[in-house]
Amino acid sequence: MTTVTHHFADLDDVSLHYLTAGSGFPVVLLHGIPQTSYEWRYVIPHLAKDYRVIAPDLRGLGDSSRPASGYDKKTVSNDVWRLLESLGIDSFHLVGHDWGGPTAFSLAAQHRDAVKKLAILDVAIPGDGADFSQGGRRWHHALFRTPDLPEALFQDRERLIIDWFFDNYGHRPNCIGDEDRKEYMRTYAKPGAMRAMYSFYRALPQDAADNRLMLQRDGKLKMPVLALGGAKGFGRAMETMESLQRVAEDVRGGLVPDSGHWVTEEQPEFIARELLKFFGEK
């Protein structure tokens, strides 16, 4: 049985809660929204057989602290970098899902020698040169970026919007069970958590500008990149691959079968298997 331990790291303006398991070369897992490090619960036991796994709750989310600012992905990724520095880690594999993906990209773009392999799950990269449209199934991007309105709409109704995401963005409406939703709600119902969630979206223009600048200055990523997207999602599978091909030189990947957006919880064995194969390639 895999032993997963909980820790906290105090990093000046933020305290990060993080999980660790296993031993060996480090693998860092960055979660999405409206999730926390809990989303990796089925993947970690597979990876921990061969690797040292570190899975933080990102700034403002989960059991990490909730600063009033700093939700651009350069800052969020720097939190992760400072956490790894505190653990004496200067070389690692990196995986990001949903908003963890742009965070992982920013970290990899700033620390190219440290990130040996990068995996991005079911998300595009802001500032990749494409039209990062906010319409269609991304209707919530514009809403969440509107000042004050989502706070007013969802005050004491956090479960309403979180249930909607889980019901509509998975392959099946019940792919995230009620007990798991309660665990996510435990943290998203805390004071400041929803504000922090909206702040991830509100930083999108800054994220795109920062990424464009890094790509113009330093060029595409050169480390191997794995891009996977849910086959039963809403177009992000192909979008993820195309986005990563615009920002990285060595990209491979494809579809996660029988999965919508919540790939780490809908198909954890597949994700773990693909990650292990990718990390093991010479």
Side-chain angles (χ1 to χ4, degrees):
M1 183 175 179
T2 302
T3 300
V4 177
T5 57
H6 295 251
H7 310 268
F8 287 87
D10 293 325
L11 307 171
D12 299 327
D13 64 325
V14 67
S15 174
L16 292 190
H17 167 255
Y18 64 100
L19 309 177
T20 62
S23 60
F25 190 76
V27 172
V28 180
L29 307 176
L30 304 182
H31 68 85
I33 286 175
Q35 296 159 298
T36 66
S37 58
Y38 182 73
E39 80 159 271
W40 302 104
R41 63 197 177 281
Y42 300 128
V43 175
I44 287 175
H46 297 280
L47 301 184
K49 295 175 183 177
D50 299 299
Y51 295 95
R52 178 186 181 186
V53 180
I54 301 99
D57 287 338
L58 301 179
R59 165 187 294 248
L61 305 177
D63 288 312
S64 292
S65 65
R66 315 192 196 290
S69 61
Y71 293 93
D72 63 281
K73 305 318 165 291
K74 281 186 69 175
T75 300
V76 177
S77 66
N78 190 54
D79 294 341
V80 179
W81 178 252
R82 289 187 295 157
L83 167 63
L84 297 175
E85 281 188 317
S86 75
L87 298 175
I89 295 171
D90 59 8
S91 182
F92 51 95
H93 298 322
L94 181 60
V95 185
H97 169 237
D98 188 79
W99 274 114
T103 303
F105 172 79
S106 182
L107 181 55
Q110 295 176 81
H111 301 282
R112 299 183 180 218
D113 292 335
V115 178
K116 299 308 177 185
K117 294 189 176 181
L118 173 67
I120 303 292
L121 308 181
D122 214 64
V123 70
I125 304 302
D128 68 353
D131 175 18
F132 204 77
S133 172
Q134 305 308 311
R137 294 293 291 270
R138 287 204 187 101
W139 61 269
H140 59 286
H141 283 217
L143 172 61
F144 288 174
R145 287 170 55 192
T146 304
D148 302 325
L149 181 59
E151 284 90 340
L153 287 174
F154 299 116
Q155 177 68 41
D156 300 322
R157 298 175 179 173
E158 296 88 356
R159 182 72 188 250
L160 174 67
I161 189 64
I162 288 176
D163 275 345
W164 191 94
F165 283 134
F166 287 142
D167 287 343
N168 287 277
Y169 283 0
H171 177 34
R172 308 286 187 202
N174 62 348
C175 65
I176 309 295
D178 190 61
E179 289 304 311
D180 294 327
R181 296 184 190 205
K182 287 179 181 178
E183 167 56 23
Y184 290 129
M185 277 303 305
R186 179 185 68 80
T187 60
Y188 278 88
K190 289 184 176 182
M194 296 295 281
R195 169 192 51 79
M197 184 185 83
Y198 305 140
S199 296
F200 273 77
Y201 294 85
R202 288 167 179 165
L204 180 57
Q206 185 63 52
D207 298 335
D210 289 340
N211 290 344
R212 284 193 296 266
L213 181 60
M214 286 189 286
L215 289 166
Q216 292 168 1
R217 183 187 63 211
D218 302 320
K220 291 184 175 183
L221 301 184
K222 293 181 171 57
M223 77 283 291
V225 176
L226 178 68
L228 297 173
K232 302 296 185 179
F234 49 96
R236 272 190 173 163
M238 185 60 67
E239 180 184 76
T240 298
M241 176 68 77
E242 292 174 347
S243 178
L244 269 296
Q245 288 172 338
R246 286 189 285 267
V247 300
E249 294 182 357
D250 180 7
V251 181
R252 78 290 309 272
L255 301 176
V256 181
D258 298 319
S259 181
H261 180 54
W262 317 113
V263 292
T264 61
E265 296 178 270
E266 295 182 75
Q267 290 292 337
E269 290 81 9
F270 179 90
I271 293 296
R273 186 166 61 249
E274 291 299 304
L275 291 176
L276 288 169
K277 182 170 67 174
F278 175 55
F279 296 154
E281 293 173 354
K282 300 299 183 182

